[in-house]
Short mmCIF file of all heavy atoms in Angstrom, two decimals:
data_model
loop_
_atom_site.label_atom_id
_atom_site.label_comp_id
_atom_site.label_asym_id
_atom_site.label_seq_id
_atom_site.Cartn_x
_atom_site.Cartn_y
_atom_site.Cartn_z
N ASP G 202 1.03 -2.85 -5.71
CA ASP G 202 0.52 -4.11 -5.14
C ASP G 202 1.29 -4.58 -3.91
O ASP G 202 0.99 -5.65 -3.39
CB ASP G 202 0.58 -5.21 -6.21
CG ASP G 202 2.02 -5.55 -6.61
OD1 ASP G 202 2.70 -4.66 -7.13
OD2 ASP G 202 2.46 -6.69 -6.39
N THR G 203 2.25 -3.78 -3.44
CA THR G 203 3.08 -4.21 -2.30
C THR G 203 3.05 -3.17 -1.18
O THR G 203 2.77 -1.98 -1.39
CB THR G 203 4.54 -4.43 -2.72
OG1 THR G 203 5.17 -3.15 -2.94
CG2 THR G 203 4.64 -5.28 -3.97
N THR G 204 3.43 -3.64 0.01
CA THR G 204 3.52 -2.72 1.14
C THR G 204 4.59 -1.66 0.89
O THR G 204 4.44 -0.52 1.35
CB THR G 204 3.86 -3.48 2.43
OG1 THR G 204 5.10 -4.20 2.26
CG2 THR G 204 2.75 -4.48 2.77
N TYR G 205 5.63 -2.01 0.16
CA TYR G 205 6.67 -1.03 -0.13
C TYR G 205 6.18 0.06 -1.08
O TYR G 205 6.61 1.22 -0.98
CB TYR G 205 7.91 -1.72 -0.72
CG TYR G 205 8.80 -2.34 0.33
CD1 TYR G 205 8.36 -2.55 1.64
CD2 TYR G 205 10.09 -2.73 0.02
CE1 TYR G 205 9.18 -3.12 2.59
CE2 TYR G 205 10.93 -3.30 0.98
CZ TYR G 205 10.46 -3.49 2.26
OH TYR G 205 11.29 -4.05 3.20
N ASP G 206 5.26 -0.27 -1.99
CA ASP G 206 4.64 0.76 -2.82
C ASP G 206 3.86 1.74 -1.96
O ASP G 206 3.93 2.96 -2.17
CB ASP G 206 3.68 0.11 -3.84
CG ASP G 206 4.38 -0.69 -4.91
OD1 ASP G 206 5.24 -0.13 -5.60
OD2 ASP G 206 4.05 -1.87 -5.08
N VAL G 207 3.10 1.20 -1.02
CA VAL G 207 2.31 2.04 -0.12
C VAL G 207 3.22 2.95 0.70
O VAL G 207 3.01 4.17 0.79
CB VAL G 207 1.43 1.18 0.80
CG1 VAL G 207 0.76 2.06 1.86
CG2 VAL G 207 0.38 0.43 0.00
N LEU G 208 4.26 2.38 1.30
CA LEU G 208 5.18 3.17 2.12
C LEU G 208 5.88 4.25 1.30
O LEU G 208 6.06 5.38 1.77
CB LEU G 208 6.21 2.24 2.76
CG LEU G 208 5.70 1.35 3.89
CD1 LEU G 208 6.76 0.33 4.28
CD2 LEU G 208 5.29 2.18 5.09
N CYS G 209 6.26 3.92 0.09
CA CYS G 209 6.90 4.90 -0.79
C CYS G 209 5.99 6.10 -1.01
O CYS G 209 6.42 7.25 -0.89
CB CYS G 209 7.26 4.23 -2.12
SG CYS G 209 8.08 5.30 -3.32
N GLY G 210 4.72 5.84 -1.30
CA GLY G 210 3.77 6.92 -1.51
C GLY G 210 3.56 7.75 -0.26
O GLY G 210 3.57 9.00 -0.31
N LEU G 211 3.37 7.10 0.87
CA LEU G 211 3.13 7.81 2.12
C LEU G 211 4.34 8.65 2.51
O LEU G 211 4.21 9.81 2.93
CB LEU G 211 2.81 6.81 3.23
CG LEU G 211 1.48 6.06 3.11
CD1 LEU G 211 1.39 4.99 4.20
CD2 LEU G 211 0.29 7.01 3.20
N ARG G 212 5.53 8.09 2.39
CA ARG G 212 6.74 8.82 2.78
C ARG G 212 7.01 10.01 1.88
O ARG G 212 7.67 10.98 2.29
CB ARG G 212 7.93 7.87 2.79
CG ARG G 212 7.85 6.84 3.91
CD ARG G 212 8.96 5.81 3.82
NE ARG G 212 8.90 4.87 4.94
CZ ARG G 212 9.74 3.88 5.13
NH1 ARG G 212 10.74 3.68 4.26
NH2 ARG G 212 9.61 3.06 6.16
N ALA G 213 6.52 9.95 0.64
CA ALA G 213 6.68 11.08 -0.28
C ALA G 213 5.65 12.17 -0.04
O ALA G 213 5.75 13.25 -0.60
CB ALA G 213 6.58 10.58 -1.72
N GLY G 214 4.63 11.88 0.79
CA GLY G 214 3.60 12.87 1.07
C GLY G 214 2.43 12.84 0.12
O GLY G 214 1.64 13.80 0.07
N ALA G 215 2.29 11.76 -0.64
CA ALA G 215 1.17 11.67 -1.60
C ALA G 215 -0.17 11.71 -0.87
O ALA G 215 -0.33 11.14 0.21
CB ALA G 215 1.28 10.38 -2.41
N GLY G 216 -1.14 12.38 -1.48
CA GLY G 216 -2.46 12.47 -0.88
C GLY G 216 -3.19 11.15 -0.88
O GLY G 216 -4.02 10.87 -0.01
N ILE G 217 -2.90 10.32 -1.88
CA ILE G 217 -3.48 8.98 -1.99
C ILE G 217 -2.35 7.98 -2.18
O ILE G 217 -1.50 8.18 -3.05
CB ILE G 217 -4.47 8.89 -3.16
CG1 ILE G 217 -5.71 9.74 -2.88
CG2 ILE G 217 -4.87 7.43 -3.44
CD1 ILE G 217 -6.67 9.83 -4.05
N ALA G 218 -2.32 6.95 -1.35
CA ALA G 218 -1.35 5.86 -1.50
C ALA G 218 -2.16 4.57 -1.48
O ALA G 218 -2.41 3.99 -0.43
CB ALA G 218 -0.32 5.88 -0.38
N ALA G 219 -2.58 4.15 -2.67
CA ALA G 219 -3.50 3.02 -2.79
C ALA G 219 -2.75 1.71 -2.98
O ALA G 219 -1.70 1.66 -3.63
CB ALA G 219 -4.45 3.23 -3.98
N GLY G 220 -3.31 0.65 -2.42
CA GLY G 220 -2.84 -0.69 -2.68
C GLY G 220 -3.81 -1.40 -3.61
O GLY G 220 -5.01 -1.13 -3.57
N VAL G 221 -3.29 -2.27 -4.46
CA VAL G 221 -4.14 -3.05 -5.35
C VAL G 221 -3.90 -4.54 -5.09
O VAL G 221 -2.82 -4.94 -4.67
CB VAL G 221 -3.90 -2.72 -6.85
CG1 VAL G 221 -4.19 -1.26 -7.13
CG2 VAL G 221 -2.47 -3.05 -7.26
N LEU G 222 -4.94 -5.33 -5.37
CA LEU G 222 -4.93 -6.75 -4.99
C LEU G 222 -4.62 -7.69 -6.16
O LEU G 222 -5.03 -8.84 -6.15
CB LEU G 222 -6.27 -7.11 -4.36
CG LEU G 222 -6.61 -6.34 -3.08
CD1 LEU G 222 -8.02 -6.68 -2.60
CD2 LEU G 222 -5.58 -6.63 -1.99
N THR G 223 -3.88 -7.20 -7.14
CA THR G 223 -3.57 -8.02 -8.32
C THR G 223 -2.14 -8.55 -8.29
O THR G 223 -1.67 -9.09 -9.29
CB THR G 223 -3.78 -7.19 -9.60
OG1 THR G 223 -3.08 -5.93 -9.47
CG2 THR G 223 -5.25 -6.94 -9.86
N GLY G 224 -1.46 -8.38 -7.16
CA GLY G 224 -0.06 -8.77 -7.13
C GLY G 224 0.37 -9.47 -5.86
O GLY G 224 -0.28 -10.40 -5.40
N ALA G 225 1.42 -8.97 -5.23
CA ALA G 225 2.14 -9.73 -4.21
C ALA G 225 1.46 -9.78 -2.85
O ALA G 225 1.49 -10.82 -2.19
CB ALA G 225 3.55 -9.15 -4.06
N HIS G 226 0.88 -8.68 -2.38
CA HIS G 226 0.45 -8.60 -0.99
C HIS G 226 -1.07 -8.48 -0.87
O HIS G 226 -1.74 -7.93 -1.75
CB HIS G 226 1.14 -7.44 -0.30
CG HIS G 226 2.62 -7.63 -0.16
ND1 HIS G 226 3.52 -6.61 0.00
CD2 HIS G 226 3.36 -8.78 -0.16
CE1 HIS G 226 4.74 -7.10 0.09
NE2 HIS G 226 4.67 -8.42 -0.01
N ASP G 227 -1.60 -9.01 0.24
CA ASP G 227 -3.04 -9.06 0.43
C ASP G 227 -3.56 -7.79 1.12
O ASP G 227 -2.80 -6.90 1.51
CB ASP G 227 -3.46 -10.31 1.19
CG ASP G 227 -2.87 -10.38 2.60
OD1 ASP G 227 -2.40 -9.34 3.12
OD2 ASP G 227 -2.91 -11.48 3.19
N GLU G 228 -4.89 -7.75 1.28
CA GLU G 228 -5.51 -6.55 1.83
C GLU G 228 -5.01 -6.23 3.23
O GLU G 228 -4.75 -5.06 3.57
CB GLU G 228 -7.03 -6.71 1.84
CG GLU G 228 -7.76 -5.49 2.38
CD GLU G 228 -9.26 -5.57 2.24
OE1 GLU G 228 -9.76 -6.57 1.68
OE2 GLU G 228 -9.93 -4.62 2.69
N ALA G 229 -4.89 -7.25 4.07
CA ALA G 229 -4.45 -7.02 5.44
C ALA G 229 -3.06 -6.38 5.47
O ALA G 229 -2.82 -5.44 6.24
CB ALA G 229 -4.44 -8.34 6.21
N ALA G 230 -2.15 -6.87 4.65
CA ALA G 230 -0.79 -6.32 4.62
C ALA G 230 -0.79 -4.88 4.10
O ALA G 230 -0.10 -4.01 4.65
CB ALA G 230 0.11 -7.19 3.76
N LEU G 231 -1.57 -4.62 3.07
CA LEU G 231 -1.62 -3.28 2.49
C LEU G 231 -2.21 -2.28 3.48
O LEU G 231 -1.72 -1.16 3.63
CB LEU G 231 -2.41 -3.30 1.19
CG LEU G 231 -1.79 -4.12 0.05
CD1 LEU G 231 -2.78 -4.29 -1.09
CD2 LEU G 231 -0.49 -3.49 -0.46
N ARG G 232 -3.26 -2.69 4.17
CA ARG G 232 -3.87 -1.79 5.17
C ARG G 232 -2.93 -1.57 6.34
O ARG G 232 -2.82 -0.46 6.87
CB ARG G 232 -5.21 -2.35 5.63
CG ARG G 232 -6.29 -2.31 4.56
CD ARG G 232 -7.69 -2.41 5.14
NE ARG G 232 -8.69 -2.46 4.07
CZ ARG G 232 -9.14 -1.38 3.42
NH1 ARG G 232 -8.69 -0.18 3.74
NH2 ARG G 232 -10.06 -1.51 2.48
N ALA G 233 -2.23 -2.61 6.75
CA ALA G 233 -1.27 -2.48 7.85
C ALA G 233 -0.15 -1.51 7.49
O ALA G 233 0.40 -0.83 8.38
CB ALA G 233 -0.70 -3.84 8.22
N ALA G 234 0.19 -1.43 6.21
CA ALA G 234 1.22 -0.50 5.76
C ALA G 234 0.72 0.94 5.71
O ALA G 234 1.51 1.87 5.54
CB ALA G 234 1.74 -0.92 4.39
N GLY G 235 -0.61 1.12 5.81
CA GLY G 235 -1.17 2.46 5.82
C GLY G 235 -1.85 2.89 4.54
O GLY G 235 -2.10 4.09 4.34
N ALA G 236 -2.19 1.94 3.67
CA ALA G 236 -2.84 2.29 2.41
C ALA G 236 -4.09 3.14 2.64
O ALA G 236 -4.91 2.82 3.51
CB ALA G 236 -3.22 1.03 1.64
N THR G 237 -4.21 4.22 1.90
CA THR G 237 -5.39 5.07 2.01
C THR G 237 -6.60 4.42 1.35
O THR G 237 -7.74 4.71 1.73
CB THR G 237 -5.15 6.44 1.36
OG1 THR G 237 -4.84 6.26 -0.03
CG2 THR G 237 -4.00 7.17 2.04
N HIS G 238 -6.35 3.57 0.37
CA HIS G 238 -7.39 2.82 -0.34
C HIS G 238 -6.83 1.43 -0.65
O HIS G 238 -5.63 1.30 -0.88
CB HIS G 238 -7.77 3.47 -1.68
CG HIS G 238 -8.26 4.88 -1.57
ND1 HIS G 238 -7.43 5.93 -1.21
CD2 HIS G 238 -9.50 5.42 -1.81
CE1 HIS G 238 -8.14 7.05 -1.23
NE2 HIS G 238 -9.38 6.78 -1.58
#
């Protein structure tokens, strides 16, 4: 649910680094971090 979750996934090379909207950060922040979904 955070931009740091998204960055962690992307930096590890995960094929999917999804953000979810049930927690701390909103859609704009998650997309700005590079969320694949």
